[in-house]
Coordinates of all heavy atoms in Angstrom, one line a residue:
A52 N 18.4 8.8 1.3 CA 18.7 9.8 2.4 C 20.1 10.4 2.2 O 21.0 9.7 1.8 CB 18.6 9.1 3.7
D54 N 22.6 12.5 4.5 CA 22.9 13.0 5.8 C 23.8 14.2 5.7 O 24.8 14.1 5.0 CB 23.5 11.9 6.7 CG 22.6 10.7 6.9 OD1 21.9 10.3 6.0 OD2 22.5 10.3 8.1
G111 N 18.8 11.3 13.2 CA 20.3 11.1 13.3 C 20.9 10.4 12.1 O 20.2 10.2 11.1
A112 N 22.1 10.1 12.3 CA 22.9 9.4 11.2 C 23.1 7.9 11.6 O 23.3 7.6 12.8 CB 24.2 10.1 11.0
C113 N 23.1 7.1 10.6 CA 23.4 5.6 10.9 C 24.9 5.5 11.3 O 25.8 6.2 10.9 CB 23.0 4.7 9.8 SG 23.9 4.9 8.2
A114 N 25.1 4.5 12.1 CA 26.5 4.3 12.7 C 26.7 2.8 13.0 O 25.7 2.0 13.1 CB 26.7 5.1 14.0
H130 N 29.0 -0.5 6.1 CA 29.3 0.9 5.7 C 28.2 1.8 6.4 O 27.0 1.4 6.3 CB 29.2 1.0 4.2 CG 29.9 2.0 3.6 ND1 30.3 2.0 2.3 CD2 30.4 3.2 4.1 CE1 31.0 3.1 2.0 NE2 31.0 3.9 3.1
N131 N 28.5 2.9 6.9 CA 27.5 3.7 7.6 C 27.9 5.2 7.5 O 29.0 5.6 7.2 CB 27.4 3.3 9.1 CG 28.6 3.5 9.8 OD1 29.0 4.6 10.2 ND2 29.4 2.4 10.0
C132 N 26.9 6.1 7.8 CA 27.1 7.5 7.6 C 28.1 8.1 8.6 O 28.9 9.0 8.2 CB 25.8 8.3 7.8 SG 24.6 8.1 6.4
R133 N 28.1 7.6 9.8 CA 29.1 8.2 10.8 C 30.5 7.9 10.3 O 31.3 8.8 10.4 CB 28.8 7.6 12.1 CG 29.6 8.2 13.3 CD 29.2 7.6 14.6 NE 30.1 8.1 15.7 CZ 30.0 9.2 16.3 NH1 29.1 10.1 15.9 NH2 30.9 9.6 17.2
N135 N 31.4 7.6 7.2 CA 31.6 8.5 6.1 C 32.0 9.9 6.5 O 32.9 10.5 6.0 CB 30.3 8.6 5.2 CG 30.2 7.4 4.3 OD1 31.1 6.7 4.0 ND2 29.0 7.3 3.7
N157 N 18.7 15.0 7.6 CA 18.6 13.9 6.7 C 17.7 14.4 5.5 O 16.5 14.3 5.6 CB 17.9 12.7 7.4 CG 18.8 12.0 8.4 OD1 20.0 11.7 8.1 ND2 18.4 11.9 9.6
S196 N 26.9 12.8 3.7 CA 27.0 11.3 3.4 C 25.8 10.9 2.6 O 24.7 11.1 3.0 CB 27.0 10.6 4.8 OG 26.9 9.2 4.6
A197 N 26.1 10.3 1.5 CA 25.1 9.6 0.7 C 24.8 8.3 1.4 O 25.6 7.3 1.3 CB 25.6 9.3 -0.7
C198 N 23.8 8.2 2.2 CA 23.6 7.1 3.2 C 23.7 5.7 2.6 O 23.0 5.4 1.6 CB 22.2 7.3 3.9 SG 21.9 6.0 5.1
P199 N 24.6 4.9 3.1 CA 24.7 3.5 2.6 C 23.8 2.5 3.3 O 24.0 1.3 3.0 CB 26.2 3.2 2.9 CG 26.5 4.0 4.1 CD 25.6 5.2 4.1
Q200 N 22.9 2.9 4.1 CA 22.1 2.0 5.0 C 21.4 1.0 4.1 O 20.7 1.3 3.2 CB 21.2 2.8 5.8 CG 20.3 2.0 6.8 CD 21.1 1.2 7.8 OE1 21.4 0.1 7.6 NE2 21.5 1.9 8.9
C205 N 15.3 3.5 4.4 CA 15.6 4.9 4.2 C 16.1 5.2 2.8 O 16.0 6.3 2.2 CB 16.4 5.5 5.2 SG 18.1 4.9 5.3
N206 N 16.7 4.1 2.2 CA 17.2 4.3 0.8 C 16.5 3.3 -0.1 O 17.0 2.9 -1.2 CB 18.7 4.0 0.7 CG 19.5 4.9 1.7 OD1 19.2 6.1 1.7 ND2 20.4 4.3 2.4
Ligands
ZN301 ZN1 23.1 6.6 6.9

Side-chain angles (χ1 to χ4, degrees):
D54 297 44
C113 64
H130 206 158
N131 62 78
C132 285
R133 187 174 172 81
N135 277 348
N157 291 305
S196 171
C198 179
Q200 182 61 265
C205 69
N206 304 316

